[in-house]
Each structure stands twice: as C-alpha cells, then as structure tokens.
Amino acid sequence: MQRSNQPVEGLDSFGATYWHLQSAALVEEALRRREGVLAVEGPLVVRTGSRTGRSPKDKFIVKEPTIADKIAWGDVNQPLSPEKFDALYDRAIAYLQTRDRFVQDVYAGRDERYRLPVRVVTEQAWQSVFARSMLVPEDDPQVLAEFQPAFTVVAVPGFLADPDRDGTRSEVAVMINFARKLVLIIGTGYAGEIKKSIFTVMNVLLPAQGVLPMHSSANVGPGGDDLTIFFGLSGTGKTTLSAEAGRTLIGDDEHGWSDRGVFNIEGGCYAKVIRLSPDDEPEIYGTTQRFGTLIENVMIDPRTRQLELNDATITENSRAAYPVNFIPSASPTGLGPKPKSLIFLTADAFGVLPAASRLTPEQAMYHFLLGYTAKVAGTEAGVTEPQAVFSTCFGAPFMALAPEAYADMLRERLAEEGAAAWLVNTGWVGGKAGDVNRVSINATRSIVRAIHDGSLAQVATVTDPVFGLAVPEACPGVAPELLAVRTAWADPEAYDVAARNLAERFRVEFARYADNVSEAVRQAGPPSEVKDG
C-alpha cells in the first residue's frame, strides 16, 4: 500500500486510507465489505443504487473568474457559486473523515504530452476498481511517492446534498471546480460519473493545447495507417463496432486528435451489456467472463452465480468496466495515426435515414453539431414512442465550451487531413422502432468494412431527396432497401410523412447554431423543398 507525499485536500488521518491497491486487493476489500458478489468466472458484480446512469441535470461547474468566460453556460453546464461548492466540499470531507477511503493515482490521456495526472478518492472499494480500469494507473512506487495530481476526484455516494441548503436540484450533485482542481461527486454510486467528469475537464483543457477532444471510439487496420473514428451516443454501437477482430482497438469512448494523431484518453472500456451476444459481440462478451471486470446493475442467479445479461429488471443501462487490454485486439499504447475515416453513428428510430451515406466536409460539420440519435420505447421511464435526441458533438453533457469551438476544430482537422466522413444508421429502416427489426449488426459491419477497405467510396451515389445525403447505390452484404430507404416502407406515403417530420426537426434544432457557421454549413442539412419519391 504505497502512500503518496501529496495529501488529499482537507482529508486528515481519521479513518483508514487505502493507497494504490491493485484490482485483486480491491476486489477482496469489496467482497469483505459486502459491496458486491463474484459471478461465474470471476467478475465483480455491484449495484449502483437508485441512480443507474448519469445524472446530467445534477451536474455543475463552479463559476469563478478563471473559467467564467470560457464555459457555455446553460441547462447542460449549470453554474454553482464557489461558496456553495466550498460548503458542500467541507461537509463531504467531514463525512469521509470517519470512513475508510480508497485512493488511486492515475492519468487521463495516453499521449504523455497531454496527459492529466488525476487522483481519485472513493468511499467504496469497487469504485476504486473502476478508477484503475477506466483511467491509466501508475504503478511505479517511486513515481507514486512523488505523484502530484493536477485534478482530484472525490466520490462520496453516501453523502447527500440538501437542495434547499446547497442550491442543488436533488440530493445528487456532480461538481467541477477548475480553480481548486477538484471534482466532487455526491449522492450517486454510478461510477460513470467519475470518468465523465474527468472527460469534461479534458474537454476544457485540451482545445487550448490544440487538441480536439472527442466522444468517440477508434480503431486501426492491420497496416497501422487507416484509423477510423466512430462518433455516437449511447446505444448507437460505437463500442461494438470499434472492437472488431482484425483491427486494433485504440479505445472505445474518449479520444483526442492532435497534430500527430489520435490518442485514447482512457485506459479501459465501459460497455453496455444489456442483451450482449456472444455471437455478435464476442470480444466484449468475453470480458464478462473473467476476473478483473466490474459488472454494474446486472441480475445474477443467486445459486449458480450466472449473469442474466438479458434481464433489464434493474436497468437497460447495465455496464461492464474493464481494462482495454481485456480486448484481445487492443493497442498496448492507446496511440494511433491521423484518421482516414470518420463515422457518425445514429440509431434512427423513425426508420427514414439510409443505412449509409457519405458526407461532404460541410455535412460532417452539420451532423457533428446536430448529434442526432433517438430513444425507443422501453429504454427510459415514460418513453412509449420513438423520440428524437440531439446531443451536440455527440456528447453535449461533457462538452463544456461552445459547440462551435469543437466543430471549428473538426473542420480544420478535416481540411488538413482529408479524412472521409460517413453517416451510418444502426437503428431502423423501413418503419419505426417496434414495427420493423433493427438493422442487423452484420449489415452494419459490412458497411464499416467497405468503408475501411475503400470500396464504398468507389460506389456511385444517389442524393436522398429529403435529407440531401449522398447514398451509395449498393454495398456487399447489405440489402438494397437499407440504402434506398423509401422502397423499404410498405407504405411509401407514410415514409414521406415520417421523413419530412424528422427533416423539420433537424432544421429546427440546427437553427441554434446557424448564426455561428458558414452559409455552406447552413445549407448542408435537409433541403427546404422536397419532391415526392
């Protein structure tokens, strides 16, 4: 248990501090404290409490002079006064004084030029397993002895905020203080808040260093020179598609694009596992069958200890956290070259977007700012029909600067590198979700492979009359109607109505960015006049 010479701010010697325990020792501690159980083959299974996903409405950034004029304040980036933060932090630390806590010293960023030293202090042992898996651990005793964190995350799920007293929305709060270099997470055991809060920090710090931060996965082909970036919101398939046999996984969720290439910000993967298939997703499924993986909110047979991955009793957002090297094809460095392809993934639940379309640079910027996907019935309480979701830069909750700042960096990178951009619909074609089957993973993989080998770029395209997209006429392994979408609908007139409705949603949503982009980008969305058929 290697101690550090650098103390945790405000935390003195009361209670026991477990410094730098490795995963096996942490699992032992978690079991001893009854924080979780072991499943067959050894993964640690835990529950995160009442919050089984992120709490974006409970996220705050402390508004103080060093950061006030940089943040795009609003519903996503809510301000909190320094005084409110200080009071909450002091009370949370007082709570933590009398309890055991676990400390990990880690890094965010696999490129040493841009990495951020981070200290993660958790109330629970299993959250320390998460921190070691999801960030890049430092295990050299000499380095640990002198480790100086640039940011410290304190996760205290057992301490609850008082909304009336603290100015929060609920008992949960995720707060980032750039002046004090602190993140405080209270009232929620959902470990994803740890990694996403640090991602938010990196999304503020990296652009100032000329690096585009991206909510994306990335992989590279066997030649080592054809890297692909996958942008996409939860449920669109970016983790699944990037963990492809025959290609090297750079990372599955967070990356930076610098002047010399792409680097993973994390050290691990955080994959959704609801209805995970050993046939369709063998690499990810394999991680659920080994010691060292952390499984969140999955039902388990109490007698056999078999995981019930198809059971959504707790949540649709069940997760597995594991070191990236648990994927056989993962890169040992987390570093890759400049990208040749960008793929924007969307799960269109209205069934009107083609399965694949090529984007001009202006369309890439348009769809990057729009960040469209959809929710389907049953994924959240109260969702009974498909709902359009727009998350700018495919990661609005984590992008603290103005969206146009990230989009301008993307435009510059595309102009410099000449990477090809594609929009791939992994959702539904031919009818809305619930009426038709989702596009098969095999069909999507056929599209992605054709992008990788360059063959899809050689296929003639037709212009979609509603969305203005260049749609390939054919792709091996892909049914023609997945590309010629209107022909997939039993009632073409119903398609016309659904497509025009979604196109209008695009126009309405993009209006918020129109004043800050070029005329070419404004014209890159659906045309205002559409001819039938």
Side-chain angles (χ1 to χ4, degrees), residues 48-53 55 58 169-172 187-190 297:
T48 63
S50 61
R51 301 293 178 105
T52 58
S55 301
D58 296 303
R169 188 186 70 93
S170 72
E171 73 281 359
V172 172
T188 175
Y190 182 67
N297 300 316

Side-chain angles (χ1 to χ4, degrees), residues 250-269:
I250 304 299
D252 91 317
D253 195 52
E254 301 169 4
H255 289 84
W257 183 354
S258 74
D259 58 359
R260 70 180 183 189
V262 171
F263 63 90
N264 190 5
I265 290 175
E266 301 179 295
C269 302

Side-chain angles (χ1 to χ4, degrees), residues 52 272-275 312-318 377-380:
T52 58
K272 291 188 75 170
V273 295
I274 188 68
R275 291 178 284 278
T313 299
I314 303 174
T315 180
E316 285 274 342
N317 192 42
S318 53
T379 57
E380 290 184 11

Side-chain angles (χ1 to χ4, degrees), residues 155-177:
V156 195
F159 176 75
L160 306 181
D162 179 344
D164 292 335
R165 175 180 181 178
D166 299 319
T168 59
R169 188 186 70 93
S170 72
E171 73 281 359
V172 172
V174 179
M175 296 161 284
I176 303 174
N177 189 324

Side-chain angles (χ1 to χ4, degrees), residues 66-405:
T66 69
I67 203 72
D69 61 349
K70 298 178 182 178
I71 302 300
W73 302 104
D75 292 340
V76 173
N77 301 308
Q78 301 176 92
L80 186 75
S81 72
E83 294 76 18
K84 291 291 187 184
F85 177 88
D86 292 346
L88 264 171
Y89 185 81
D90 290 346
R91 284 165 47 218
I93 289 298
Y95 166 92
L96 200 55
Q97 297 281 21
T98 60
R99 287 160 174 81
D100 294 350
R101 53 264 178 181
F102 301 85
V103 181
Q104 293 292 330
D105 287 338
V106 294
Y107 301 102
R110 302 291 290 274
D111 188 329
E112 292 189 5
R113 294 184 303 169
Y114 306 111
R115 73 182 186 183
L116 184 75
V118 179
R119 172 160 294 157
V120 182
V121 183
T122 63
E123 182 182 2
Q124 296 171 317
W126 75 262
Q127 289 187 314
S128 202
V129 175
F130 180 91
R132 279 190 62 84
S133 295
M134 294 312 305
L135 294 164
V136 183
E138 175 59 75
D139 288 327
D140 185 323
Q142 291 184 331
V143 176
L144 288 171
E146 302 298 329
F147 191 92
Q148 298 189 32
F151 250 86
T152 297
V153 179
V154 180
V156 195
F159 176 75
L160 306 181
D162 179 344
D164 292 335
R165 175 180 181 178
D166 299 319
T168 59
R169 188 186 70 93
S170 72
E171 73 281 359
V172 172
V174 179
M175 296 161 284
I176 303 174
N177 189 324
F178 283 90
R180 294 184 64 179
K181 311 299 183 187
L182 286 171
V183 174
L184 178 62
I185 302 169
I186 58 177
T188 175
Y190 182 67
E193 299 286 14
I194 295 173
K195 84 185 203 84
K196 288 305 187 186
S197 61
I198 286 299
F199 185 42
T200 302
V201 170
M202 295 294 276
N203 288 337
V204 172
L205 301 181
L206 287 177
Q209 302 174 70
V211 177
L212 171 62
M214 302 174 293
H215 182 218
S216 67
S217 60
N219 66 18
V220 67
D225 61 352
D226 63 333
L227 184 134
T228 295
I229 297 172
F230 298 84
F231 292 94
L233 301 173
S234 178
T236 57
K238 68 180 178 6
T239 297
T240 297
L241 293 169
S242 59
E244 180 183 350
R247 292 179 66 84
T248 299
L249 176 68
I250 304 299
D252 91 317
D253 195 52
E254 301 169 4
H255 289 84
W257 183 354
S258 74
D259 58 359
R260 70 180 183 189
V262 171
F263 63 90
N264 190 5
I265 290 175
E266 301 179 295
C269 302
Y270 194 38
K272 291 188 75 170
V273 295
I274 188 68
R275 291 178 284 278
L276 190 67
S277 167
D279 296 323
D280 292 338
E281 299 155 297
E283 293 86 0
I284 299 173
Y285 184 86
T287 69
T288 69
Q289 308 297 302
R290 62 180 294 176
F291 181 82
T293 294
L294 177 70
I295 306 285
E296 291 181 343
N297 300 316
V298 170
M299 296 294 287
I300 182 173
D301 187 299
R303 183 180 65 85
T304 67
R305 297 297 177 93
Q306 291 283 350
L307 295 171
E308 304 290 350
L309 296 177
N310 294 329
D311 191 331
T313 299
I314 303 174
T315 180
E316 285 274 342
N317 192 42
S318 53
R319 296 271 179 171
Y322 48 88
V324 69
N325 61 15
F326 280 18
I327 299 294
S329 61
S331 164
T333 65
L335 304 174
K338 297 176 182 179
K340 286 192 174 180
S341 302
L342 276 64
I343 298 177
F344 299 139
L345 301 171
T346 182
D348 174 30
F350 301 98
V352 297
L353 288 179
S357 49
R358 183 161 186 173
L359 304 177
T360 66
E362 292 76 19
Q363 287 175 323
M365 191 169 172
Y366 182 97
H367 286 278
F368 182 66
L369 282 167
L370 203 61
Y372 166 69
T373 191
K375 296 177 184 177
V376 299
T379 57
E380 290 184 11
V383 178
T384 58
E385 291 289 332
Q387 294 183 3
V389 175
F390 299 92
S391 186
T392 187
C393 308
F394 292 93
F398 329 118
M399 317 305 280
L401 306 181
E404 295 82 1

